[in-house]
Amino acid sequence: MTSAAHDLGDVLPPEGRGAATLAGDAASRASAAGPDGGPTGATRAAGGPSRWGSWVLVLVVLATGIFELHNLDIYLHARTGQWIVENGQVPTTNVMSPLHGDHPTVQDKWLFQVGSHLVFDRWGANACILLRVVLMAVLFAVMASTARRLGASEGALVMFLVLAALAGRARFMFRPGLVSMVLLVVTVHFVLVRRPDGRRTWPLLLLQLLWANLHGYFILGPVAVLGVAAGRLFQRDGRIVAARLGLLVLALIAVCFVNPAGVDGVLHPVSILTDLREHYDFYSGAIVEFRGSFAPDVRHPLDQKAFFALGGAALVLLLWAGARELGRRRANTSEAGPNAGFGWALPGLVLLAGFGFMTVSLRRNMAPFVFVVAPLAAAAWTGLLGARTPGRVLPLLLAAALVAGEVTDATSVHDQLPRRTGWGLSQLAYPDEGIAFIGEQLPDARVYTAFRYGSSFTGRRWPAQAAATDGNTHGYPTSWLMQVMGAASGEDRLAFDRLCSRHELSVALVPMAEPLSVSLLARDDWTLVCLGRQEAVFVQRDAVPAEWLAEHDLEARLDAGQSLTLPDTPPRGHVLVWPRSWVPLAEIDQTLLLMAGGHDDAAFERCRDALAGAPDDANALGLCGLLAARLGRLDEARTLLERSLAEGVDGGLAKQVVERLDSL
């Protein structure tokens, strides 16, 4: 026998099984039979309730879920939740912004924001990590239950859910999107396998009510049910089930109106999509997750590759299973029940097509796609190729590779992400030194913040100070965000001056590697006063006292040949006896900024620090080679650049320098 609650008990760690066991006892009485009145899919496929895959999924959840908290919006969520608790209402304007406080906004995440305030502010980052692991355990438990109830073998289940874990890893953050993924797979499980006849679906109304107050992805609930209803139309006697599910769709939409913003809250996802459509070129160029899933990515990220592999396999398998089901119908076999044979494959094909279509224009939709189709692909694999395939070896190898890549940080380093295994707050994601410096030295200044730093700055400094721009992208006009991004990228060279002049901004907190930092270094009216791991703080010279500037002007110290004490990239650590993957991110960014400012000697010494920690890092080798060439150390430069090319760095500039050295 299988049930979602039993699967949850299997996948959760022992300390989290109490509630799941109680739920499983109650659910087992209602689900002793499969959806068509016969034995469950897992029993049919495997001959018994073998659950070795559950232990593998436990390891997958722990490996992919226990990493440092690096959600850039966590501080903004917590402060907004604090405002809601203190004021007893959900704001209708951007109350966190000093510049756009009157801009109307819909807080579609208000319930998650209150939860973030209660959990993060009271118990800290580790509590958020534990809660994330619990949510992920529920996510994988429900997917496993869906696959088993449709007949998937343990090997197929593990293989496809491991691919889903890799393809959807971008959603494994303590953000409302993770809660949406859980509610989505629960909805699909409920209408596809738990209640395939469309009866007694009222529990989904309660979940939808919760969802509508947690995240704008709540629209996916009615969309998923509508997809299953459309697929049922192709089945014998399926119109009755489709009609029931159609009524459920209307009821789910009606429930969504129970939110603080009312009609505006229901229409908020539509307004977001409309804005994305109108400004797609801008959003897709500025924010990675707003690009298409099939758009080329110079990083060649592993999640995109896993998405291609899983999506391609699911398409072939579900088309094959759907064809078998249509053939069964034409043969007029007597097997009854909505999910008899491959009856679930036709609704599955509609879900694959619908959620697949959403991935074309938005990469962030890869996760809902893989979490919906992975269980269906596993069931189709078993039904078409037999319960003995793929066996245990291949799924276990895939799971082992995934776990190893996560716990050693190799996957995150490959994808160039700040995510690192461990507990507590990330030391890479947040501009800690820059925010601390501003809070101590410039507590009353009006601050220009880069988009990626705004939420953290507001969350830590509010109400004394707040960022000019934060992660609430719909809390201010899109035209404002376009100006901020134009200033950061250097595309609009006057945008930064316009923003600072109009809003009296005299301090800038920006990433070192952005073109804006380089341009500020070249200006006489701004100067560098703080360097963090990857962030820089600049001030307008005329906005601070001369005595203060003389004490904190880093450019003057560099010009005088003085050395700077700079924070290092956090140490790599080990997993048992194996070193974790490590990239000298801070040292490289600091080197780039020093190099851009013409301080080649200081840059070269900092680059040597990077090589000391990562002797084979291609980027560090290339930077050191370029600096050595600028300093006239031609033999050393050639050696470093050739090593950089051998390590696989994109060699455009490095090759040109080597060729130039040859000509000399």
Side-chain angles (χ1 to χ4, degrees):
M1 296 183 294
T2 58
S3 69
H6 281 166
D7 290 334
L8 180 57
D10 285 340
V11 175
L12 282 175
E15 62 270 19
R17 291 183 184 172
T21 302
L22 294 176
D25 292 340
S28 62
R29 294 189 291 273
S31 61
D36 55 353
T40 63
T43 304
R44 288 197 302 267
S50 173
R51 297 293 179 84
W52 63 267
S54 295
W55 296 104
V56 178
L57 293 180
V58 167
L59 294 177
V60 168
V61 168
L62 294 176
T64 57
I66 299 179
F67 56 89
E68 296 172 343
L69 190 68
H70 75 280
N71 171 15
L72 295 180
D73 292 331
I74 184 62
Y75 287 100
L76 182 65
H77 286 323
R79 293 292 75 73
T80 306
Q82 177 185 347
W83 190 97
I84 293 172
V85 170
E86 292 177 350
N87 291 273
Q89 60 179 317
V90 178
T92 57
T93 59
N94 190 358
V95 294
M96 293 289 109
S97 172
L99 306 181
H100 304 286
D102 58 349
H103 184 77
T105 185
V106 173
Q107 294 291 349
D108 58 346
K109 309 172 186 66
W110 74 271
L111 199 54
F112 181 85
Q113 291 165 339
V114 170
S116 296
H117 166 55
L118 298 177
V119 175
F120 182 66
D121 289 343
R122 180 171 298 182
W123 292 299
N126 287 342
C128 296
I129 295 172
L130 286 173
L131 186 54
R132 176 177 65 211
V133 172
V134 171
L135 288 171
M136 290 177 59
V138 176
L139 174 70
F140 279 85
V142 175
M143 287 194 292
S145 179
T146 300
R148 287 180 176 127
R149 296 272 303 231
L150 294 177
S153 66
E154 292 296 286
L157 178 153
V158 169
M159 181 172 66
F160 282 99
L161 264 58
V162 165
L163 285 175
L166 181 56
R169 69 191 300 270
R171 296 294 106 189
F172 297 154
M173 291 197 291
F174 187 68
R175 298 186 63 173
L178 178 57
V179 184
S180 283
M181 297 302 99
V182 174
L183 295 175
L184 173 61
V185 298
V186 169
T187 299
V188 172
H189 174 86
F190 203 86
V191 296
L192 191 61
V193 299
R194 182 52 64 95
R195 293 288 183 263
D197 58 1
R199 298 178 184 272
R200 300 185 300 279
T201 55
W202 62 265
L204 285 184
L205 299 179
L206 299 178
L207 290 180
Q208 190 67 31
L209 175 62
L210 177 68
W211 200 350
N213 291 274
L214 276 169
H215 192 222
Y217 261 7
F218 70 83
I219 193 65
L220 295 184
V223 167
V225 177
L226 184 62
V228 175
R232 294 299 186 195
L233 287 174
F234 295 96
Q235 296 179 297
R236 182 187 298 112
D237 302 326
R239 292 184 178 180
I240 296 176
V241 176
R244 291 173 184 155
L245 294 178
L247 292 175
L248 176 61
V249 171
L250 296 178
L252 292 174
I253 295 174
V255 165
C256 294
F257 284 89
V258 185
N259 72 83
V263 176
D264 290 339
V266 175
L267 297 179
H268 187 55
V270 178
S271 66
I272 292 176
L273 290 174
T274 301
D275 182 46
L276 287 174
R277 184 182 181 88
E278 291 177 355
H279 304 96
Y280 182 75
D281 289 341
F282 161 69
Y283 280 112
S284 61
I287 303 174
V288 172
E289 67 176 14
F290 289 153
R291 298 171 188 169
S293 300
F294 298 91
D297 192 326
V298 296
R299 300 174 302 162
H300 305 293
L302 296 177
D303 62 344
Q304 190 179 41
K305 295 180 179 179
F307 163 74
F308 292 151
L310 195 157
L315 177 62
V316 172
L317 290 168
L318 289 178
L319 284 173
W320 187 1
R324 289 277 293 270
E325 171 60 17
L326 293 176
R328 186 182 72 90
R329 285 193 56 196
R330 286 195 295 269
N332 197 26
T333 57
S334 59
E335 192 175 0
N339 285 343
F342 286 105
W344 52 267
L346 299 176
L349 270 172
V350 177
L351 291 174
L352 182 145
F355 283 89
F357 177 77
M358 291 190 295
T359 68
V360 174
S361 59
L362 286 178
R363 182 169 174 173
R364 69 181 305 173
N365 288 334
M366 290 195 319
F369 171 81
V370 298
F371 296 147
V372 167
V373 305
L376 310 181
W381 176 288
T382 303
L384 294 166
L385 302 176
R388 294 183 180 275
T389 59
R392 295 193 181 190
V393 175
L394 178 60
L396 288 175
L397 287 176
L398 287 174
L402 174 69
V403 170
E406 294 290 357
V407 300
T408 63
D409 296 325
T411 301
S412 296
V413 168
H414 176 277
D415 291 353
Q416 301 178 29
L417 299 175
R419 172 172 165 173
R420 296 294 183 267
T421 300
W423 298 90
L425 282 168
S426 170
Q427 298 181 62
L428 287 173
Y430 305 106
D432 298 325
E433 288 79 8
I435 293 176
F437 179 86
I438 293 173
E440 179 182 345
Q441 298 292 334
L442 302 162
D444 301 318
R446 295 173 68 90
V447 183
Y448 169 94
T449 51
F451 174 72
R452 62 184 288 192
Y453 292 156
S455 294
S456 300
F457 184 83
T458 294
R460 295 191 188 184
R461 293 294 301 148
W462 183 84
Q465 289 174 301
T469 308
D470 56 44
N472 182 13
T473 52
H474 296 279
Y476 35 80
T478 302
S479 58
W480 169 266
L481 184 58
M482 294 174 73
Q483 291 184 71
V484 171
M485 292 298 193
S489 66
E491 294 180 5
D492 186 348
R493 301 197 174 193
L494 299 179
F496 180 75
D497 287 337
R498 289 198 305 269
L499 295 174
C500 291
S501 175
R502 186 182 308 157
H503 301 288
E504 299 180 345
L505 307 176
S506 59
V507 178
L509 174 65
V510 293
M512 296 181 200
E514 283 190 354
L516 180 57
S517 291
V518 177
S519 67
L520 290 177
L521 273 178
R523 296 177 55 160
D524 295 331
D525 54 338
W526 287 78
T527 191
L528 178 68
V529 293
C530 176
L531 282 176
R533 283 193 170 91
Q534 294 183 281
E535 76 277 8
V537 178
F538 293 86
V539 298
Q540 276 187 326
R541 291 181 179 274
D542 295 342
V544 293
E547 297 80 5
W548 185 94
L549 189 61
E551 181 181 354
H552 296 94
D553 190 343
L554 297 186
E555 293 185 52
R557 289 174 56 184
L558 288 168
D559 290 338
Q562 300 179 24
S563 61
L564 303 180
T565 302
L566 301 176
D568 300 325
T569 303
R572 71 171 70 207
H574 288 73
V575 178
L576 299 179
V577 298
W578 295 282
R580 291 162 60 178
S581 297
W582 187 82
V583 175
L585 296 175
E587 290 81 359
I588 288 176
D589 280 6
Q590 294 159 3
T591 297
L592 286 169
L593 191 66
L594 293 170
M595 186 177 177
H599 307 290
D600 289 352
D601 289 314
F604 190 62
E605 290 305 313
R606 194 55 177 155
C607 197
R608 283 185 176 275
D609 294 336
L611 280 181
D616 297 324
D617 185 84
N619 291 312
L621 287 166
L623 270 179
C624 281
L626 294 176
L627 283 164
R630 288 171 57 156
L631 292 170
R633 305 177 183 182
L634 301 185
D635 292 337
E636 185 178 1
R638 180 183 179 84
T639 300
L640 290 167
L641 290 168
E642 288 179 342
R643 287 180 58 196
S644 175
L645 293 172
E647 292 295 333
V649 73
D650 183 9
L653 181 57
K655 287 180 179 178
Q656 292 180 30
V657 175
V658 171
E659 292 172 358
R660 177 60 177 161
L661 292 176
D662 286 339
S663 68
L664 295 176

